[in-house]
Amino acid sequence: MSGRILARVPSSWILLACIGLLALNLRGPFIAVAPVVDLMQAELNFSPVMLGLLTSIPVLCFSLAAPLASLAARKFGAEFAVTLTILGVLAGVLVRSSGGPVLVMAGTVVIGLAITVGNIAVPLIIRRDFAPARQGTAMGIYTAALNIGSFLTSVATAPLAGVAGWRFALGSVAVLAVAAVAFWILAVGPRNAFLVSPESTATSSLAPVRGSRWITAGLTAGFAGQAFSYYGVTAWLPSYLNDELGMSATEAGAASSIFQILAIVGGLGVPFAAKYMSMTSVTVTLGVLWITVPAGLLLAPGAWWLWSTAGGIAQGGGITVIFIAIIRLARDQASAGRMSAVVQGAGYAIGAAAPPLVGFIHDASGSWTPALLVILASVLTFFASTALSVRRVPKGR
């Protein structure tokens, strides 16, 4: 960001604050649906599969639109891409809360497309504007903020819906988008925020990592397992707690928020742990923690708080490990964008299937056991594929 405030101090708290505030808007707007699915179903007459789609449509957008988002981030510039993200989220949230089933679905699609651009742009900003030694920390703050946004909406949505209805509750997340766009414009200036400024195409002298195609394939499989597990648990954990433990909607929403907020520990803990452990060791630790979620809910559902804690740490750390691997293995910005688009595009395509598939399996079987076994399989995929793929990730350059 030559000639701009954020470029002169790329490692400053100004840039980190912008990234953090942006990240609050990149998960919360569609995570907010889970605590109010029953209220939405009563008014809109959606089937369980359709309700699952309200969570999976944005994730499907992450997949289908990832290549275009990568191209947009390079051609329009990262600053303009971030502006598009925030304004798109704001518009989508307002549309989704303003009408019947058609507008609900249309707003959900807009939210998904807008967030897709941010998913690609933010790692590129971190790779470009932070020193290698600080990229892991910046990525950890980004992923931690993603889950803070999920936590806030998980906790607040059900109580707000009880007072003012589900439309108001889902629309209230627009406050975060308004704050983000105001802060972003102040940070980079109106000109940089709203004018197209293509990314530099200069190449790097870094040599490509040996076996990079296989590594990309492995990270893609790992990301798919991570995404499927995360969205499956996020969408249906409140319903599981209601069915198995008799929690109310408000209690289940608050209880499941533990899974979201503990991701902060994983996101911030991975860069710290990587200073003393190999990335493979870090990934194995996260994989073991992830396994406890489906296994624990199957064997000891009464200890749900323990499994939610372990899983929260694992899911926050898992996505951080994969993003750090991408930005450190790519030789330049263009290859980082392409690698990110492949990993996120294919990975989110699998993740998008989780909410409707888990819901379908539960409805068809009348039990949570088969659904949890499917999630266990996806966790094992993340564990094995990611651990094998991060072996060549350097600690910094």
Side-chain angles (χ1 to χ4, degrees):
M1 303 179 188
S2 178
R4 296 166 237 176
I5 294 176
L6 297 184
R8 294 167 185 164
V9 282
S11 60
S12 72
W13 288 108
I14 296 176
L15 182 53
L16 285 175
C18 286
I19 289 173
L21 192 53
L22 169 65
L24 293 179
N25 291 273
L26 297 187
R27 294 298 180 268
F30 63 93
I31 296 300
V33 170
V36 295
V37 289
D38 292 337
L39 296 175
M40 296 181 72
Q41 185 176 31
E43 180 175 336
L44 302 175
N45 294 317
F46 282 163
S47 67
V49 173
M50 289 297 293
L51 288 172
L53 285 174
L54 291 178
T55 300
S56 63
I57 282 176
V59 188
L60 189 59
C61 289
F62 298 169
S63 169
L64 299 179
L68 290 177
S70 177
L71 179 63
R74 296 197 306 270
K75 297 298 183 182
F76 297 157
E79 290 81 2
F80 187 76
V82 168
T83 304
L84 286 178
T85 295
I86 304 171
L87 292 180
V89 168
L90 177 59
V93 165
L94 295 178
V95 169
R96 185 179 63 180
S97 302
S98 63
V102 173
L103 288 181
V104 169
M105 288 297 183
T108 301
V109 171
V110 172
I111 290 170
L113 293 174
I115 293 177
T116 304
V117 178
N119 287 344
I120 299 295
V122 173
L124 292 179
I125 289 175
I126 290 174
R127 187 185 188 278
R128 185 190 65 185
D129 293 337
F130 285 87
R134 299 199 62 189
Q135 289 172 351
T137 300
M139 189 60 70
I141 290 174
Y142 166 64
T143 56
L146 289 176
N147 287 279
I148 291 175
S150 298
F151 168 76
L152 292 175
T153 54
S154 294
V155 170
T157 302
L160 283 175
V163 173
W166 66 266
R167 294 181 187 279
F168 177 83
L170 293 184
S172 65
V173 297
V175 173
L176 294 175
V178 172
V181 72
F183 196 89
W184 183 248
I185 292 171
L186 289 174
V188 305
R191 179 180 179 84
N192 296 326
F194 291 104
L195 291 182
V196 172
S197 179
E199 293 288 309
S200 171
T201 58
T203 58
S204 169
S205 59
L206 295 174
V209 176
R210 184 167 57 89
S212 58
R213 291 185 178 180
W214 285 109
I215 291 174
T216 299
L219 290 176
T220 301
F223 193 90
Q226 160 81 16
F228 188 98
S229 305
Y230 171 75
Y231 289 112
V233 172
T234 295
W236 294 108
L237 183 57
S239 296
Y240 171 88
L241 294 174
N242 177 268
D243 293 345
E244 298 296 316
L245 302 178
M247 293 186 181
S248 67
T250 299
E251 291 171 339
S256 61
S257 67
I258 295 175
F259 179 72
Q260 305 296 339
I261 195 61
L262 264 296
I264 297 173
V265 177
L268 297 178
V270 163
F272 177 79
K275 295 179 181 180
Y276 307 98
M277 303 165 60
S278 68
M279 290 294 283
T280 301
S281 298
V282 172
T283 302
V284 168
T285 301
L286 295 172
V288 171
L289 291 175
W290 240 132
I291 288 173
T292 65
V293 178
L297 291 177
L298 281 169
L299 300 175
W304 60 266
W305 56 271
L306 180 59
W307 317 134
S308 291
T309 298
I313 295 172
Q315 58 99 348
I319 192 172
T320 304
V321 162
I322 292 173
F323 280 146
I324 288 175
I326 291 172
I327 63 177
R328 287 186 177 170
L329 291 173
R331 63 177 304 186
D332 52 40
Q333 286 292 91
S335 60
R338 288 191 295 269
M339 188 176 185
S340 184
V342 170
V343 171
Q344 293 192 54
Y348 278 128
I350 303 299
L357 180 59
V358 171
F360 173 78
I361 292 173
H362 170 256
D363 289 343
S365 65
S367 168
W368 284 106
T369 298
L372 289 173
L373 289 175
V374 170
I375 292 175
L376 177 60
S378 70
V379 169
L380 291 174
T381 300
F382 159 77
F383 189 169
S385 299
T386 308
L388 291 173
S389 302
V390 300
R391 292 175 296 170
R392 293 194 178 95
V393 176
K395 288 189 175 182
R397 291 175 176 172

